[in-house]
Amino acid sequence: ARVAVVGGGPSGLSAAYQLRRRGLQVSLFELRPALGGLMRYGIPPYRLARDVLDGEIARIVAMGVQVFTDHAITSQDQLARLRTQHGAVYLAPGAQRPHKLVQLPEQAPWLMDSAGYLAQANVGMPPALGRRIAVIGGGSAALDVARSARRAGHEVTIIALEAAARMPAQHEELVEAREEGITLMDSTMLGTVQPQPGGDLLLECQPVHCEPGPIRGQFTVTALALPPTSITVDAVIPAVGQAPNLDGWADGFVRAGALLQTDGRHQTSDRDVWAGGDVASMARFVTEAIGMGKHAAHDIARHLKPASDTQTPALGDGAAAAQTVTLARIATTYHAAADRTPENRLAPAQRLASGAEVQLPLSIEQALAEAERCFSCGQCTHCDNCLQYCPDLAIVRSDGAYAVLSDYCKGCGVCVAECPTGSMLMQEELR
């Protein structure tokens, strides 16, 4: 059976990898000339080294994925053809439509969207926008734009609705941005933009209180009784989020607002089509997108029932997989206490001069030391503790694992207490 994957970003690549592992043929369709999606065109090289990205993608393609770059799926007819030619379709085209701010006139010569700026900056060709730049937004994309602009020699100010401690961007990103000389105006909303003689822009900004809502992307903004502040810049780059473009091809699907509606298995309202990543979720993280691609691939494999799928259990099969292993279930006395390896970052002056990766990788010795700190939560490591500590000889080795002899077990729980990974669970037998 063959599966079509639309989108060569983190979610699409993840799905393609998992599908090939299960013996399915995969056709991968990507809008841009190279695979990677957000990881290539959105995340800057100083955060994600391109040799690492290229190596990971090359390994996935080498598994036998058939790749079609510069190939957009933009109409219902194109999608219908994919469905007739493939047993299943996984949609992960990402989000390409930037949100707009009413304060900013479209087509202004001093205005540029964040995705366009990052796409150019990430290939070493940042556009010339003047000396001073204001970046609007408090998420990771805003920090990426600001830090890329700083590396291009600009003076950069970030204007964010949220207080610094509540910005959606990771705390480390903000720390690194400040180290690099970027100014932050947090708890601030852009008011008016007034072009000045000579080409300057006067930005009037209002102090505000921003209260996040229960759903990501929802918030309430209240103006504070404080005087507005003004800054002068040459260009403005809004980075306030993006939405998927569903026009022309998604009319036949049930939607959830601006997204495709999917169930817990990432299946859409069409029983032969699954969706993940930004087109189906507001969780704007690469790790979330990779996970959605993985879980959808497992479900697609079960749906198509290839012969190889019976040899590779799908994620979530079995009762043990449904149990969350908490720290209370782990016998921590069996694990030596060891401090986490401290993070090592490139000095700010070196970052701005070279554009090299900021967070330096672990050495082999450090990586091995970090691996030793792992509790192997919920995974049996065949340590024989259960067998050795059982006072009733009720545990035996069986087919490479362990079995409990119910005729001898009296339910004392010693084996569970002495399991160093929490992989054993004792519960009342249902009669």
Side-chain angles (χ1 to χ4, degrees):
R2 179 172 287 275
V3 180
V5 175
V6 179
S11 197
L13 287 167
S14 173
Y17 169 71
Q18 298 293 343
L19 290 166
R20 284 298 299 136
R21 286 186 65 211
R22 282 154 177 77
L24 293 164
Q25 298 299 312
V26 178
S27 300
L28 178 59
F29 300 89
E30 165 57 35
L31 169 69
R32 293 181 181 267
L35 298 177
L38 172 75
M39 298 181 293
R40 183 177 303 280
Y41 297 100
I43 299 176
Y46 59 82
R47 288 187 62 203
L48 178 59
R50 290 306 184 255
D51 58 339
V52 175
L53 177 63
D54 292 338
E56 292 293 304
I57 292 174
R59 279 187 278 275
I60 295 172
V61 174
M63 295 174 69
V65 177
Q66 189 174 14
V67 176
F68 301 90
T69 53
D70 293 307
H71 197 112
I73 305 299
T74 57
S75 70
Q76 286 182 293
D77 289 342
Q78 288 176 309
L79 186 56
R81 280 197 295 272
L82 285 187
R83 290 192 57 217
T84 59
Q85 296 166 0
H86 300 80
V89 177
Y90 180 64
L91 299 173
Q96 299 89 17
R97 178 176 287 174
H99 294 308
K100 298 177 181 179
L101 295 173
V102 295
Q103 306 95 311
L104 301 175
E106 295 186 41
Q107 309 304 323
W110 41 263
L111 181 68
M112 186 171 192
D113 72 273
S114 59
Y117 182 86
L118 286 172
Q120 294 187 45
N122 288 352
V123 294
M125 296 186 295
L129 297 175
R131 180 169 57 89
R132 301 155 299 180
I133 292 178
V135 178
I136 316 299
S140 291
L143 270 293
D144 286 344
V145 170
R147 297 176 67 189
S148 296
R150 188 75 186 93
R151 282 158 174 73
H154 299 287
E155 296 175 11
V156 183
T157 300
I158 297 174
I159 301 173
L161 288 174
E162 304 86 358
R166 303 182 78 171
M167 287 171 60
Q170 297 179 44
H171 176 69
E172 291 80 4
E173 297 177 71
L174 185 56
V175 170
E176 292 168 5
R178 283 172 157 164
E179 289 175 347
E180 293 160 10
I182 293 170
T183 301
L184 172 66
M185 295 176 63
D186 61 334
S187 298
T188 302
M189 182 173 67
L190 175 65
T192 60
V193 180
Q194 303 171 19
Q196 305 293 303
D200 290 348
L201 299 170
L202 182 65
L203 274 54
E204 186 176 271
C205 305
Q206 175 64 46
V208 297
H209 172 71
C210 180
E211 187 66 31
I215 301 175
R216 180 179 172 86
Q218 293 184 353
F219 51 86
T220 302
V221 178
T222 305
L224 300 178
L226 296 171
T229 58
S230 299
I231 62 170
T232 302
V233 299
D234 299 296
V236 177
I237 304 177
V240 292
Q242 299 189 148
N245 185 358
L246 305 181
D247 295 345
W249 63 269
D251 292 344
F253 295 94
V254 175
R255 302 191 193 185
L259 307 174
L260 293 183
Q261 181 174 294
T262 58
D263 60 18
R265 297 170 295 132
H266 305 289
Q267 192 172 36
T268 68
S269 54
D270 186 324
R271 66 181 301 272
D272 294 320
V273 180
W274 286 252
D278 292 344
V279 77
S281 171
M282 287 298 294
R284 299 291 198 253
F285 298 101
V286 169
T287 49
E288 292 273 2
I290 291 172
M292 284 184 272
K294 178 179 181 179
H295 298 155
H298 292 163
D299 197 60
I300 291 170
R302 286 196 293 269
H303 177 72
L304 297 178
K305 293 182 173 62
S308 61
D309 192 48
T310 59
Q311 302 171 11
T312 308
L315 185 71
D317 286 350
Q323 299 289 337
T324 299
V325 179
T326 62
L327 188 62
R329 279 179 53 186
I330 297 170
T332 56
T333 53
Y334 287 100
H335 302 275
D339 293 331
R340 175 181 294 177
T341 301
E343 185 181 279
N344 191 13
R345 296 200 296 257
L346 203 64
Q350 291 176 281
R351 301 177 204 168
L352 299 179
S354 66
E357 191 172 10
V358 173
Q359 297 182 355
L360 301 179
L362 300 177
S363 67
I364 292 296
E365 293 76 19
Q366 289 173 323
L368 291 173
E370 283 298 290
E372 289 294 327
R373 298 176 64 244
C374 177
F375 290 158
S376 297
C377 305
Q379 304 296 315
C380 178
T381 57
H382 300 90
C383 67
D384 276 358
N385 265 19
C386 56
L387 185 150
Q388 293 175 3
Y389 278 93
C390 179
D392 301 304
L393 304 179
I395 295 179
V396 295
R397 294 189 189 92
S398 175
D399 296 329
Y402 300 93
V404 178
L405 304 178
S406 58
D407 289 343
Y408 298 96
C409 176
K410 64 174 182 286
C412 66
V414 171
C415 57
V416 175
E418 297 298 333
C419 178
T421 65
S423 60
M424 296 191 71
L425 183 65
M426 185 169 66
Q427 58 190 20
E428 184 179 357
E429 184 178 6
L430 299 178
R431 297 183 183 276

